Amino acid sequence: SQKIEQNSEALNIQEGKTATLTCNYTNYSPAYLQWYRQDPGRGPVFLLLIRENEKEKRKERLKVTFDTTLKQSLFHITASQPADSATYLCALGSSSASKIIFGSGTRLSIRP
Amino acid sequence: GAVVSQHPSWVICKSGTSVKIECRSLDFQATTMFWYRQFPKQSLMLMATSNEGSKATYEQGVEKDKFLINHASLTLSTLTVTSAHPEDSSFYICSAPKTSGRWNEQFFGPGTRLTVL
């Protein structure tokens, strides 16, 4: 069955460092991969989308890589700030289906 | 960006009662909306796909008679949890794509916290 794993349930890093989150998947060939931010008690907020034929995407301090051979995506936040503390979810989708499948998320904490 | 709202944001009810949750697309029309459930520290699990003017499509393991979905207009879908029990307590989130068929551009509502006593 399809499976999405995010490397760790929680990640704590020092302010100013780069946070790197990992998303691995099996038994799936996604057309695209997305990263969302979710704050406690809130719905997910879309951050970035990367397609299967793209290696890397950037948006301000965010960078996403997508390796379809390794079946892995890395999500980087550079110059991290306490305000970046949240749960980050990766999600996979196909071009033919409307469903998006979510990973369980990584809770990121940035300490001052 | 597109806005999706949910009402209520939280609800507490007694076991055995029914609860209705509304999902509205405020500045666009959505022929399709999605309902998710999220338990603490777990991922969003798709429950069903709500289709305007037709029956909802439920994911495996989701009881359609317990979770009634009505998509009566292009901007409103409702999820009714019938005969709610404590195990139904969860965070319910809806989403909608702004452009029909553009499934990779979905906008999520703020969620509804349901607590069944």
Side-chain angles (χ1 to χ4, degrees), chain A residues 4-6 8-10 36-44 87-90 101-107, chain B residues 36-46 87 89-93 108 113:
Chain A
I4 304 174
E5 289 184 334
Q6 293 192 236
S8 57
E9 186 177 319
Y36 290 82
R37 169 181 174 142
Q38 186 176 24
D39 291 286
R42 302 275 189 169
T87 295
Y88 291 85
L89 305 166
C90 71
I101 303 172
F102 283 87
S104 55
T106 295
R107 190 171 63 254
Chain B
Y36 295 83
R37 181 166 52 182
Q38 186 177 33
F39 292 105
K41 296 187 178 181
Q42 293 188 26
S43 184
L44 280 75
M45 298 301 296
L46 180 65
E87 57 266 30
S89 298
S90 188
F91 193 51
Y92 292 86
I93 306 171
F108 285 80
R113 172 75 58 196

Side-chain angles (χ1 to χ4, degrees), chain B:
Chain B
V3 178
V4 174
S5 71
Q6 284 183 238
H7 178 80
S9 55
W10 60 270
V11 57
I12 301 173
C13 68
K14 292 183 179 179
S15 185
T17 60
S18 294
V19 175
K20 180 186 283 188
I21 302 170
E22 294 184 347
C23 177
R24 292 181 186 272
S25 54
L26 298 184
D27 55 354
F28 66 100
Q29 294 182 333
T31 55
T32 302
M33 290 183 174
F34 300 92
W35 286 97
Y36 295 83
R37 181 166 52 182
Q38 186 177 33
F39 292 105
K41 296 187 178 181
Q42 293 188 26
S43 184
L44 280 75
M45 298 301 296
L46 180 65
M47 298 176 66
T49 302
S50 172
N51 303 297
E52 189 269 334
S54 65
K55 291 182 179 180
T57 304
Y58 290 82
E59 294 300 301
Q60 191 173 9
V62 178
E63 299 175 58
K64 61 180 181 181
D65 294 329
K66 180 168 182 64
F67 298 99
L68 300 178
I69 291 173
N70 183 22
H71 196 146
S73 77
L74 288 172
T75 59
L76 174 65
S77 174
T78 60
L79 169 67
T80 301
V81 183
T82 62
S83 186
H85 291 285
E87 57 266 30
D88 298 323
S89 298
S90 188
F91 193 51
Y92 292 86
I93 306 171
C94 69
S95 73
K98 188 172 183 179
T99 304
S100 180
R102 296 283 291 273
W103 311 119
N104 59 8
E105 295 180 12
Q106 293 196 29
F107 297 88
F108 285 80
T112 296
R113 172 75 58 196
L114 170 63
T115 302
V116 185
L117 301 176

